């Protein structure tokens, strides 16, 4: 049983106690729904009067609703059942990468409301134009018919690079970005002080999406590998996201596997990314089409991956060998990670998915060969089913999760929102808000 706080003699302010209990009741309804107020009181330890008041508050905020059904109790009046209100709110997640911008909007049940994938050359555009496109995309998504009448509780952006706690992109080599205050800039462009924003690494948000909605959902020890031009990973250990001291945990793309290997975008040689990143694979698989190598722009990466997989399906020995060789390097890199964090499942995402039939056998073989104890259960390697929206979906889901856990302010009740602006309304500069997922 979870324990609520009645707020007497404990040193908390009344508002803090109430906010804590609101979060508790919200989580309880999510876990038990459909459930009665009595069931919430029993599970939380709060008295029924307190629960009734908190439920009324959550209903006014658009977080909880009555289902119209009643519980079948043998004694007394039947209790009206509660559920999360999946009709009034939405969260938006974005992912900016070398060759595209993805957006996903979800409701409070993590169900997809809208999704979009746009070919976009973020490296050539630069951070300012990229931030402006993100703001425009958020406004367009918020105005889409699928989100009609919904308030946006938060916006999250996934970036292939190192991000600090206040939303600054410290380093994103493949985008060519360094020390870019993306969180603050996006918040200013959206111009809604009530709208929380966050920026995080794409691997971190990708693994959150896989944990909540992927084919291996609920796996507490899970790794998600991005499979883009850059190779990064998000790592869950015991259900907790590993960030590290500086936030760079999971940067497996820059493990040095061959000191005499090709130069990497980070300036070093023989990194996993330079050996098994998508750029390396297509350069070896379709050398006639990929002449000149990176940087490619717009839809070129997707076109080259399509050509490589098409040739592999047709039995082209060069394309098949390139993918198998990359799979071996990828398996070796994953073995190093697996020996340290011992995941139950590694999920390959991004462009690794269409290449999966040729990558997976060599990935699994190399992983088994280089893991410390592969015969003790080891870890499985699977392909993502979330497509290129994984990190964007994870960002949207992270905002919903932040509501549940108290790291995101609850939306204001209806009577306090009359006349409040949406994204883009003129209300001054928005300070960045960081939410630790």
């Amino acid at each position: 049983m979870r324990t609520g706080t009645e707020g007497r003699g404990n040193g908390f302010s009344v508002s803090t106690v109430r906010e804590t209990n609101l979060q508790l009741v919200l989580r309880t309804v999510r876990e038990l729904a459909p459930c009665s107020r009595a069931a919430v009181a029993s599970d939380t330890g709060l008295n029924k009067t307190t629960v009734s008041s908190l439920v009324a508050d959550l209903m006014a905020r658009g977080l909880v609703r009555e289902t119209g059904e009643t519980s079948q109790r043998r004694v007394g009046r039947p209790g009206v059942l509660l559920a999360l209100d999946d009709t009034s709110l939405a969260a938006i997640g974005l992912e900016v990468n070398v060759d595209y911008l993805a957006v996903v909007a979800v409701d409070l049940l993590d169900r997809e409301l809208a999704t979009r994938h746009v070919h976009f050359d973020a490296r050539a555009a630069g951070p300012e134009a990229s931030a402006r496109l993100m703001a425009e995309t958020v406004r367009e998504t918020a105005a889409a018919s699928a989100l009609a009448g919904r308030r946006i509780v938060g916006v999250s952006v996934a970036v292939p690079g190192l991000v600090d706690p206040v939303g600054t992109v410290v380093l994103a080599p493949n985008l060519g970005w360094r020390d870019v205050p993306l969180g603050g800039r996006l918040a200013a462009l959206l111009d809604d002080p009530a709208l929380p924003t966050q920026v995080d690494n794409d691997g971190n948000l990708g693994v959150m999406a896989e944990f909540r909605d992927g084919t291996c959902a609920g796996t507490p020890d899970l790794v998600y590998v991005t499979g883009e031009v850059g190779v990064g990973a998000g790592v869950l250990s015991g259900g907790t996201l590993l960030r590290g001291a500086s936030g760079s945990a999971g940067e497996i793309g820059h493990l040095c596997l061959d000191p005499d290997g090709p130069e990497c975008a980070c300036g070093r040689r023989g990194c996993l990314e330079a050996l098994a990143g998508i750029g390396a694979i297509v350069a070896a698989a379709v050398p006639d089409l990929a002449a000149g190598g990176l940087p490619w722009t717009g839809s070129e990466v997707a076109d080259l991956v399509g050509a490589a997989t098409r040739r592999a399906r047709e039995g082209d020995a060069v394309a098949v060998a390139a993918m198998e060789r990359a799979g071996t390097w990828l398996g070796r890199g994953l073995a190093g990670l697996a020996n340290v964090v011992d995941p139950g499942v590694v999920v390959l995402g991004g462009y690794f998915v269409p290449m999966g039939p040729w990558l997976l056998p060599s990935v699994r073989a190399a992983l088994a060969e280089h893991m410390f104890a592969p015969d003790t259960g080891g870890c499985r390697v699977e392909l993502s089913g979330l497509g290129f929206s994984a990190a964007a979906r994870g960002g949207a889901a992270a905002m919903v999760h932040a509501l549940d856990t108290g790291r995101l302010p609850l939306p204001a009740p209806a009577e306090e929102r009359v006349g409040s602006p949406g994204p883009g309304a003129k209300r001054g500069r928005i300070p960045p808000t960081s939410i630790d997922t």
Side-chain angles (χ1 to χ4, degrees):
M1 180 183 75
R2 290 167 284 268
T3 303
T5 304
E6 297 292 350
R8 294 174 180 168
N10 52 20
F12 291 107
S13 70
V14 173
S15 61
T16 299
V17 169
R18 186 166 182 83
E19 289 167 5
T20 299
N21 287 337
L22 283 168
Q23 304 287 354
L24 175 60
V25 171
L26 180 63
R27 291 195 300 273
T28 303
V29 172
R30 177 181 292 278
E31 294 172 14
L32 300 183
C35 57
S36 65
R37 290 168 175 78
V40 173
S42 175
D43 199 73
T44 61
L46 296 169
N47 67 51
K48 293 180 181 180
T49 301
T50 298
V51 167
S52 292
S53 173
L54 294 170
V55 166
D57 194 336
L58 291 172
M59 292 176 67
R61 296 170 189 265
L63 293 163
V64 170
R65 64 180 176 86
E66 294 179 336
T67 67
E69 301 175 355
T70 57
S71 60
Q72 300 301 314
R73 294 186 297 180
R74 295 182 179 179
V75 179
R77 296 171 56 191
V80 178
L81 297 184
L82 305 170
L84 293 185
D85 189 341
D86 56 352
T87 66
S88 62
L89 303 173
I92 295 176
L94 300 165
E95 179 189 1
V96 60
N97 221 301
V98 172
D99 60 322
Y100 66 85
L101 179 69
V103 60
V104 175
V106 303
D107 64 16
L108 285 187
L109 297 179
D110 282 349
R111 295 182 304 199
E112 185 178 293
L113 298 170
T115 184
R116 187 180 174 194
H117 188 276
V118 180
H119 290 299
F120 172 64
D121 187 354
R123 177 168 39 208
E128 176 61 21
S130 297
R132 289 185 177 278
L133 178 61
M134 291 178 212
E136 178 184 349
T137 302
V138 169
R139 285 190 286 267
E140 290 175 351
T141 303
S145 58
L147 276 72
R150 294 175 183 266
R151 289 176 293 136
I152 307 304
V153 298
V155 175
S156 175
V157 182
V159 178
L162 177 61
V163 180
D164 76 7
V166 297
T168 296
V169 181
V170 177
L171 178 64
N174 290 306
L175 294 180
W177 295 2
R178 182 185 290 272
D179 296 327
V180 175
L182 181 60
R185 184 61 186 135
L186 178 60
L189 290 168
L190 291 173
D191 204 13
D192 181 357
L195 182 67
T197 63
Q198 75 160 10
V199 182
D200 205 343
N201 173 265
D202 58 346
N204 290 343
L205 294 178
V207 78
M208 292 291 291
E210 292 292 340
F211 180 73
R212 292 174 74 94
D213 302 305
T215 55
C216 299
T219 303
D221 296 283
L222 182 68
V223 170
Y224 173 79
V225 182
T226 56
E228 306 293 342
V229 171
V231 179
V235 182
L236 286 180
S237 180
T240 300
L241 183 64
L242 296 184
R243 292 188 176 275
S246 63
S248 62
E251 287 292 343
I252 63 168
H254 301 290
L255 290 174
C256 180
L257 300 182
D258 181 6
D260 298 320
E263 186 175 359
C264 181
C266 72
R268 301 174 180 84
R269 305 192 73 87
C271 293
L272 175 61
E273 185 173 298
L275 296 163
I278 296 304
I281 296 175
V282 298
V286 287
D288 54 319
L289 301 178
L294 290 168
W296 296 301
T297 61
S299 63
E300 289 178 334
V301 176
D303 291 343
L304 289 169
V305 171
T309 55
R310 185 166 54 251
R311 291 187 186 181
R313 281 195 302 271
E314 295 169 353
D316 182 87
V318 172
V320 170
M323 294 184 199
E324 290 178 344
R325 184 167 55 251
T328 297
W329 284 117
L330 182 56
R332 291 179 181 178
L334 292 177
L337 180 64
N339 286 338
V340 175
V341 301
D342 190 24
V345 182
V346 174
V347 178
L348 304 182
Y351 290 112
F352 287 152
V353 175
M355 295 183 173
W358 303 278
L359 286 174
L360 274 180
S362 51
V363 169
R364 289 166 173 162
L367 179 63
E369 179 182 356
H370 294 280
M371 278 188 63
F372 170 65
D375 297 330
T376 61
C379 70
R380 298 177 4 240
V381 182
E382 305 291 347
L383 298 176
S384 174
L386 298 181
F388 291 96
S389 66
R393 176 184 285 275
M399 304 305 279
V400 174
H401 181 66
L403 277 177
D404 286 356
T405 54
R407 293 194 294 272
L408 187 69
L410 293 176
E415 62 271 16
E416 296 178 19
R417 303 194 306 266
V418 177
S420 63
K426 298 298 181 183
R427 285 187 56 179
R429 185 178 179 86
I430 310 172
T433 302
S434 175
I435 301 157
D436 186 19
T437 54

